Amino acid sequence: EGMETSEDVPSTEFGSSPATPHHGDDGASVTTEASNLKLKWDGFAVQPPTRITFCLPHQREVFDFYRKPWVQVAVAVLICSNFIFNCAEKEWDPYTNQLRPQLWRWGEFAFNLFFLIELLVNFYGLGFAFWRYNAAWNLFDLVVVSIGCLTMAEAFAPAFLPGSLSLIRNLRAFRIFRLFKRVKSLNKIIKSLVRAIPGVFHAFLIQIIVMCIYAIIGVDLFHMKGADGEYTTYNENVLRGVCTEEEVDDGLCSLNISVSSVTARGFTYGEEYFGTFFRALYTLFQVLTGESWAEAIARPAVMGTTQAIGPALFYVSFILICQIVLINVVVAVLLDKMVEDDGTPDKAQTMADKIRELLNERHGSLEDMFRGWDTNDTGSLSKSEFRDALFSMGYNGPSKVLDRLFTSISITGEIPFADLDRLVSMPTPRPKGSVKDEVFALRDELKSDLARIEADLACHRQWLEKQLLCMLNEVRADREPGVRPTTIHVGSAPPIPRSHGL
């Protein structure tokens, strides 16, 4: 067990019953079926590395133990329990002077201890593969558990992390992310988000550039709005018939009202919302979220001028461009990248489709290889040529296996090159069209198959007729000894076309 050995690890999912290799008493590699695993949960599927070097005592047993489904489920439950424990602490005892400090400290100590043991078991089972297999997630686990080890000391010394270092405790909330590498559906979402980062970044860049342009314009237009502590709103009471111009001249009706421009924070409207570039940028972000922007931001600018068309166009165009168009572009890019093929093989693709694609790609090289096998240039492969070709390609098995394979392919004792070419040149399935096109294509294909079948049947019928005439002549010659039988050249039976299954 102390010797360094390198073994291929079967790529199986947690929840299945893989064959679990282990070492017997004599050190030999033994494979047994792990049929005693009753717990099956396909949601947990951390794929193991395909190859690990086991050089430590009992490393293989530790690795197999950590891969067991119930171990992964227990770790996931532990992570969720720790997250709920942190939420409960901040809900029932959130203050600096906690009511039950020992409960929370020793509870956190227990969780950190379990996580430390789990990390050590994983590290020992993987060995050097810890830094190669799932390296990002393993490094994340190492950082989180290391921070937890620092907070473990607080159970004995509450002031172990002085000053700003005590903020490290807040990072324990990120432990829940460790669950993402174990749950298959969550892991898929995280990987999709990571793949979508480049495209979404470019879409966000366009969004930010447009917002910066509007922020610059907003500072120029509104930074002095209400600078003297108030702004004037203008109405159209005369045009609406509320009062007459004489009443306005007599002071009985007013066309403008002075409104305070001081905000709740003591700034004027222009100073708080558009006083600087970054204030204007944050104001536009508030407009983008739709949070009280119309009443608090847009209306004072629109109603506080006699020419309301300028501020109105500013805010309306910003909403149309940024909120309706560009935000949806970001969402569209994100969804497109999330559903994009990640390069993994399609499970829905049948084995026949995979073989067809491979043969179509390699048809030229396979054709040259088959012709090279024909050493006597007869246009067909004999059993000896077929056997020698496979031996030259590195086959080291028994010859009878090759003979059985040759017999299953050939009936006449030879494999014509035309048959090999027909096997290699598998037809590519036509693209799926409308129902009408599919019906017409199927009809034409059936007509072509029927014509080939009729031609083959006619060929076989002629051969059978000649065979029957020959048999009749022989019978006649037996009954009439003086009659000389007519010689009829029958020939060999026509080959049975494999494509028709006759």
Side-chain angles (χ1 to χ4, degrees):
E1 290 181 347
M3 296 178 64
E4 181 175 347
T5 58
S6 182
E7 299 182 14
D8 292 330
V9 181
S11 179
T12 56
E13 293 186 354
F14 291 120
S16 60
S17 296
T20 305
H22 62 87
H23 296 289
D25 297 336
D26 56 352
S29 180
V30 183
T31 301
T32 59
E33 292 293 333
S35 58
N36 57 343
L37 298 178
K38 303 298 183 182
L39 180 60
K40 293 185 178 182
W41 193 345
D42 292 334
F44 288 84
V46 182
Q47 292 295 331
T50 57
R51 195 168 185 85
I52 298 179
T53 300
F54 297 102
C55 57
L56 300 173
H58 302 286
Q59 182 182 355
R60 178 76 209 203
E61 288 79 359
V62 174
F63 174 77
D64 292 336
F65 171 78
Y66 187 76
R67 286 184 59 203
K68 291 182 181 298
W70 68 268
V71 174
Q72 294 301 315
V73 173
V75 173
V77 171
L78 191 64
I79 294 173
C80 295
S81 301
N82 177 246
F83 187 72
I84 296 174
F85 180 82
N86 292 333
C87 295
E89 178 186 359
K90 298 307 177 184
E91 171 64 25
W92 293 324
D93 211 351
Y95 306 108
T96 304
N97 297 323
Q98 293 180 326
L99 301 177
R100 300 176 181 86
Q102 296 298 323
L103 171 65
W104 309 117
R105 289 174 186 172
W106 285 104
E108 190 68 23
F109 179 88
F111 280 112
N112 288 328
L113 183 61
F114 285 131
F115 289 139
L116 178 60
I117 295 174
E118 182 261 340
L119 178 67
L120 293 177
V121 171
N122 185 24
F123 184 82
Y124 191 88
L126 290 175
F128 293 105
F130 183 87
W131 307 107
R132 300 193 311 268
Y133 159 67
N134 263 346
W137 284 112
N138 289 334
L139 183 61
F140 178 77
D141 288 350
L142 181 62
V143 172
V144 171
V145 174
S146 299
I147 295 174
C149 291
L150 293 177
T151 59
M152 288 173 65
E154 291 191 338
F156 303 97
F160 179 76
L161 294 177
S164 59
L165 292 179
S166 60
L167 297 177
I168 294 178
R169 291 195 302 267
N170 297 329
L171 298 178
R172 59 188 178 181
F174 291 95
R175 287 178 186 156
I176 191 65
F177 284 106
R178 301 181 65 207
L179 193 65
F180 293 166
K181 83 170 184 180
R182 288 174 170 81
V183 181
K184 192 162 36 176
S185 57
L186 297 179
N187 194 289
K188 183 178 180 181
I189 294 176
I190 294 299
K191 290 181 178 179
S192 301
L193 290 175
V194 172
R195 289 200 309 270
I197 286 177
V200 173
F201 172 77
H202 294 133
F204 267 127
L205 184 62
I206 297 175
Q207 173 91 34
I208 293 174
I209 290 175
V210 174
M211 290 181 64
C212 290
I213 293 174
Y214 271 86
I216 295 172
I217 298 175
V219 172
D220 291 338
L221 293 179
F222 308 118
H223 76 283
M224 291 301 293
K225 185 70 176 178
D228 54 354
E230 61 182 20
Y231 64 92
T232 303
T233 60
Y234 299 90
N235 57 63
E236 297 178 348
N237 290 336
V238 176
L239 296 179
R240 292 187 297 118
V242 176
C243 58
T244 62
E245 293 183 359
E246 290 78 8
E247 293 176 340
V248 173
D249 296 337
D250 296 338
L252 300 177
C253 182
S254 176
L255 296 180
N256 52 72
I257 300 175
S258 295
V259 181
S260 174
S261 64
V262 179
T263 64
R265 284 149 297 280
F267 294 95
T268 61
Y269 170 85
E271 184 182 8
E272 177 168 344
Y273 294 116
F274 294 95
T276 62
F277 171 79
F278 284 104
R279 290 183 184 179
L281 189 63
Y282 182 78
T283 300
L284 293 177
F285 177 75
Q286 179 182 347
V287 173
L288 193 64
T289 61
E291 193 273 322
S292 68
W293 69 274
E295 187 65 31
I297 300 174
R299 290 194 182 277
V302 173
M303 306 304 296
T305 179
T306 56
Q307 301 294 330
I309 186 171
L313 287 178
F314 177 83
Y315 288 107
V316 171
S317 62
F318 178 79
I319 289 294
L320 292 177
I321 295 175
C322 291
Q323 191 180 65
I324 297 179
V325 177
L326 293 181
I327 285 294
N328 288 315
V329 169
V330 173
V331 175
V333 172
L334 179 63
L335 293 178
D336 180 67
K337 294 298 181 180
M338 290 186 68
V339 301
E340 192 177 63
D341 185 15
D342 58 355
T344 57
D346 187 7
K347 294 183 178 180
Q349 189 181 27
T350 62
M351 182 60 66
D353 294 334
K354 297 178 182 178
I355 295 176
R356 181 182 294 109
E357 291 179 1
L358 178 62
L359 293 179
N360 288 335
E361 293 175 0
R362 303 290 183 177
H363 177 265
S365 58
L366 289 175
E367 182 178 353
D368 296 337
M369 182 180 66
F370 289 151
R371 291 192 181 277
W373 290 357
D374 186 13
T375 56
N376 53 7
D377 295 331
T378 59
S380 60
L381 296 179
S382 62
K383 183 182 291 186
S384 61
E385 290 175 338
F386 180 77
R387 189 189 306 118
D388 294 340
L390 293 184
F391 276 123
S392 65
M393 295 176 64
Y395 175 74
N396 296 322
S399 301
K400 59 182 181 180
V401 176
L402 300 181
D403 295 339
R404 287 199 300 267
L405 177 61
F406 182 86
T407 304
S408 64
I409 298 176
S410 174
I411 300 177
T412 61
E414 289 186 344
I415 304 177
F417 176 75
D419 291 346
L420 289 175
D421 187 68
R422 197 161 46 242
L423 287 173
V424 173
S425 304
M426 300 180 70
T428 304
R430 60 179 178 271
K432 188 175 181 180
S434 62
V435 177
K436 182 178 179 181
D437 295 337
E438 289 289 324
V439 170
F440 282 123
L442 182 60
R443 184 186 64 181
D444 296 338
E445 185 177 347
L446 291 176
K447 285 183 178 180
S448 177
D449 290 341
L450 182 60
R452 288 199 302 268
I453 292 174
E454 290 177 349
D456 292 335
L457 289 177
C459 181
H460 281 77
R461 184 171 60 249
Q462 294 176 2
W463 180 81
L464 289 174
E465 289 175 353
K466 292 181 181 180
Q467 187 74 21
L468 290 175
L469 287 176
C470 182
M471 294 173 63
L472 290 174
N473 285 333
E474 292 177 356
V475 172
R476 183 180 179 186
D478 292 340
R479 293 183 177 181
E480 301 178 8
V483 179
R484 185 178 180 181
T486 304
T487 302
I488 301 176
H489 180 69
V490 178
S492 60
I496 298 176
R498 297 181 181 274
S499 59
H500 300 154
L502 296 176

